[in-house]
Amino acid sequence: MKFFSLCFFLFSLFISCSSSELTAEAPIDNHSFYRLVDLGYDLDARNAANPYDDVGQVHNELLLTYYYADSLPSTFNGIVTTLTSIANNNSSFTDLHKNVPYEFSNAAENRVLAIMTEQDSCLTAVIDSSVVGQVARDSLDDFVHDFLDLCDTEEDYSVIYDYVVAYEDAVLKLTWSAEDKRVVLITTTVARHSAYAKKKRPKKNKDPDWSYLVWNIIATIDGADEGEAEAVMRGLVAGVVEN
């Protein structure tokens, strides 16, 4: 259904060039996934007015858990396997996924790899396949570009926070369909919390450089069309690989 014709022409080339990086990792130590995460660290990133704000909170909770592990995988498959295990051991995530074990599907893997291959062409394709209304599509496209520009140029997180929250408040008042609002508001909460992770870096020796957010945001939009848990996982996988 959602197939990126603008992106997949490079997909086979990407796979052939990266096959050596997609080898199996050593067995995962699930014990490290139970380490305590300070769930209050991102209070300043939250916006209770966004009905999907828990999606952004869960995204960052899983992100911190991943980077708190004793060792991190070095391949795409290893990252997927590790993040999936973390998610399925996290009660906040399982609530999002209706207490059903999550599996990162082959389709999800292919789409994330496609975004990584040709991110510039994929943004429009992903938005068009995830959002129905043309006005909502154009608005989300503008938001993503403005948000990424702001993250590149603004050191003060509060400025980024205020921009995202103002956009969310405006979206909540619009007459878009409930589904279009859902996709957009899931995207904005993940963007807002990801920017906080990038700017605040609460654990200097373990958390990511998180210098880039492009793959993270595009993959989140792609997953939001299918559900909150899918948005979290695709955004996480793409974001970790990107950094």
Side-chain angles (χ1 to χ4, degrees):
M1 170 182 166
K2 187 164 64 171
F3 193 80
F4 308 146
S5 58
L6 293 177
C7 304
F8 271 85
F9 73 99
L10 289 177
F11 179 68
S12 59
L13 176 62
F14 180 90
I15 292 296
S16 64
C17 292
S18 304
S19 59
S20 62
E21 299 179 5
L22 300 179
T23 54
E25 293 279 346
I28 297 172
D29 177 13
N30 286 314
H31 182 268
S32 66
F33 298 163
Y34 293 94
R35 293 193 174 188
L36 294 177
V37 175
D38 179 6
L39 301 184
Y41 94 95
D42 67 344
L43 287 173
D44 291 339
R46 300 180 185 181
N47 177 24
N50 183 334
Y52 301 99
D53 198 55
D54 56 338
V55 178
Q57 294 176 39
V58 171
H59 176 280
N60 273 25
E61 185 177 335
L62 298 182
L63 174 71
L64 280 183
T65 304
Y66 175 85
Y67 281 101
Y68 277 13
D70 291 328
S71 60
L72 299 177
S74 58
T75 68
F76 181 84
N77 283 350
I79 290 170
V80 168
T81 301
T82 301
L83 286 172
T84 300
S85 296
I86 290 172
N88 283 324
N89 281 287
N90 182 284
S91 60
S92 300
F93 179 85
T94 56
D95 286 345
L96 284 183
H97 205 236
K98 312 303 181 187
N99 296 312
V100 176
Y102 176 84
E103 180 180 353
F104 202 78
S105 67
N106 289 335
E109 179 176 313
N110 290 343
R111 285 165 183 164
V112 170
L113 287 169
I115 289 168
M116 292 159 51
T117 304
E118 190 66 19
Q119 64 186 36
D120 294 334
S121 298
C122 280
L123 176 58
T124 299
V126 168
I127 290 176
D128 286 351
S129 63
S130 300
V131 179
V132 175
Q134 188 59 54
V135 174
R137 289 176 177 176
D138 293 341
S139 177
L140 181 56
D141 185 84
D142 289 342
F143 166 80
V144 171
H145 283 100
D146 291 345
F147 169 79
L148 293 173
D149 287 344
L150 200 58
C151 285
D152 284 340
T153 59
E154 181 57 60
E155 292 299 324
D156 185 353
Y157 173 73
S158 66
V159 175
I160 299 171
Y161 176 88
D162 290 344
Y163 168 74
V164 177
V165 168
Y167 179 72
E168 290 172 324
D169 289 346
V171 168
L172 287 167
K173 297 173 184 175
L174 294 171
T175 58
W176 296 350
S177 71
E179 180 63 15
D180 282 353
K181 284 187 177 182
R182 186 185 68 83
V183 171
V184 170
L185 291 172
I186 286 174
T187 303
T188 57
T189 184
V190 170
R192 179 164 30 81
H193 284 267
S194 295
Y196 186 83
K198 172 182 177 179
K199 298 297 182 181
K200 295 299 183 179
R201 300 179 183 176
K203 188 172 175 59
K204 293 181 180 179
N205 64 325
K206 293 293 287 185
D207 64 310
D209 180 15
W210 217 241
S211 297
Y212 306 99
L213 292 170
V214 180
W215 295 354
N216 174 239
I217 300 304
I218 297 177
T220 295
I221 298 170
D222 180 51
D225 183 37
E226 299 186 22
E228 297 170 26
E230 197 64 40
V232 169
M233 291 304 298
R234 293 192 194 183
L236 276 174
V237 170
V240 168
V241 173
E242 186 175 18
N243 284 271

